[in-house]
Amino acid sequence: MINQPQESGKVALVLGGGGARGYVHLGIGQILRDAGLEPDIVVGTSMGAVIGAAIANRANLDGMLKVVKRLDVNDILKISPESHRELEKVIGRSLVREMGVRRRGNKDSNQTPVKLARLFTFFKLMTKNSTIEDLPINYSAIATDLENGEEYVIREGKVYKAAAASSAIPGFIPPVKLKDRLLVDGGVVDVLPIIPAIEMGAERVLAIDVSESLRQNPDQSPLSLFYRTLTIRKKELINTKISIARNRLGNRLKVLSPPVDELNWLNFNEVEKATSIGREFIQDKLPAVKKLFRQEKS
């Protein structure tokens, strides 16, 4: 039986983006469930939106893990061992030209690109073709509006489309069209969507950041330096938004960062390794997490 907070105040679980590293959220979700800790609100970016949808739907996370482990997700999404290098080339050649998004994703076309159709199929399997409005827990997914560059919070419609829009890596996965908007990966503008959770009514927030850390002694090749600057900018954006959220929530905000650097963000077949990291990490943090969920006094 789910243990509800002892005092008033909605609790939000915020799951950050990080590609395949987001499978860590699945392991965290399993431990929270086993501990009887259920959030009132779930907000996610990228893979955080996918796992978040399963949590918001009170899905069988153990069964979900078994299914995903049997699948060759890299093959479903057509991610080859060379895809990381391919993506690097795309970024290196085409960043200034929006990484080819407009050429491959004609917004006036009614035909779904093959890679996007595969993503839809995978996420339908992960989310059981649910509708956001029908989920038992309040849920939203974060995407980026390609036209105006703004954050777009998806709070209605098919869950699989919301998750796909939140996960559409620019230049790699075509944009998703929703309500005449072209949407791409929410991580472009909000890797860790704490502020949208607060705007949905959260008064206590557990946020899980699965972005990579800044490693020491960085490779000084031009492309590696370019990636490092992107990582630095992303970290600064996360820290700025955390600071804004902490000004509003104080110690009612807890941000946790599992050790994800050994996980390849494009290897979606490392689900067992990632979920194990998530389970082990959150198990050690349970006493503090229980205090946050239940507002126990120190």
Side-chain angles (χ1 to χ4, degrees):
M1 182 175 179
I2 297 298
N3 295 312
Q4 297 299 326
Q6 295 177 347
E7 298 179 19
S8 62
K10 291 184 178 179
V11 182
L13 177 63
V14 173
L15 303 179
R21 296 185 184 111
Y23 278 137
V24 168
H25 298 314
L26 183 53
I28 289 174
Q30 289 176 312
I31 298 300
L32 294 180
R33 174 208 60 200
D34 293 346
L37 302 175
E38 180 178 272
D40 304 292
I41 298 167
V42 179
V43 184
T45 292
S46 194
M47 185 57 81
V50 180
I51 305 302
I55 293 172
N57 201 25
R58 294 176 180 154
N60 181 342
L61 300 182
D62 301 334
M64 181 177 176
L65 175 58
K66 288 179 181 178
V67 170
V68 176
K69 283 169 61 177
R70 292 192 188 105
L71 299 174
D72 187 342
V73 180
N74 286 355
D75 181 64
I76 291 173
L77 301 181
K78 292 301 178 187
I79 299 176
S80 67
E82 294 78 27
S83 287
H84 197 283
R85 289 193 294 273
E86 291 170 4
L87 186 55
E88 288 178 343
K89 290 178 182 178
V90 169
I91 293 174
R93 288 195 309 263
S94 310
L95 184 69
V96 178
R97 294 172 294 162
E98 295 182 355
M99 293 178 278
V101 167
R102 293 185 183 275
R103 283 180 289 134
R104 289 198 297 274
N106 184 354
K107 67 178 181 179
D108 296 323
S109 172
N110 292 321
Q111 184 175 4
T112 304
V114 172
K115 185 166 284 191
L116 188 55
R118 285 174 171 268
L119 192 68
F120 282 171
T121 299
F122 175 55
F123 286 162
K124 277 184 182 178
L125 175 66
M126 296 275 278
T127 63
K128 296 185 177 180
N129 203 22
S130 306
T131 301
I132 293 175
E133 296 90 325
D134 295 332
L135 296 177
I137 297 174
N138 202 2
Y139 166 84
S140 66
I142 305 302
T144 302
D145 189 318
L146 195 60
E147 296 291 341
N148 59 30
E150 295 178 352
E151 179 175 353
Y152 185 68
V153 182
I154 307 172
R155 297 195 60 184
E156 60 183 10
K158 288 292 187 180
V159 175
Y160 78 86
K161 282 194 174 181
S166 185
S167 307
I169 303 169
F172 192 65
I173 300 292
V176 175
K177 188 174 181 180
L178 284 178
K179 293 188 174 181
D180 296 324
R181 294 175 182 265
L182 277 180
L183 302 176
V184 295
D185 195 331
V188 174
V189 291
D190 202 349
V191 178
L192 194 64
I194 301 169
I195 295 174
I198 296 173
E199 292 172 347
M200 289 173 66
E203 296 179 38
R204 288 169 282 148
V205 175
L206 173 64
I208 309 297
D209 179 12
V210 293
S211 60
E212 64 181 322
S213 62
L214 284 173
R215 303 186 183 189
Q216 300 298 313
N217 303 315
D219 182 348
Q220 296 191 32
S221 68
L223 190 55
S224 294
L225 288 175
F226 174 73
Y227 272 123
R228 188 171 180 84
T229 59
L230 288 182
T231 301
I232 291 170
R233 289 173 61 188
K234 184 177 292 186
K235 286 291 185 185
E236 283 302 302
L237 180 60
I238 291 173
N239 290 337
T240 297
K241 295 198 173 189
I242 288 175
S243 178
I244 293 170
R246 201 171 295 284
N247 283 338
R248 296 172 66 173
L249 296 178
N251 61 8
R252 290 176 288 126
L253 168 63
K254 180 169 288 294
V255 180
L256 300 179
S257 300
V260 297
D261 287 346
E262 63 185 272
L263 298 171
N264 185 324
W265 72 284
L266 272 181
N267 189 350
F268 289 88
N269 289 339
E270 284 192 315
V271 58
E272 179 58 46
K273 181 177 180 181
T275 52
S276 294
I277 289 173
R279 285 192 295 266
E280 292 174 10
F281 174 81
I282 200 66
Q283 189 72 55
D284 291 338
K285 309 292 183 182
L286 266 184
V289 171
K290 286 179 179 179
K291 285 184 179 181
L292 179 73
F293 268 69
R294 299 171 179 168
Q295 286 194 336
E296 294 174 352
K297 302 300 181 182
S298 301

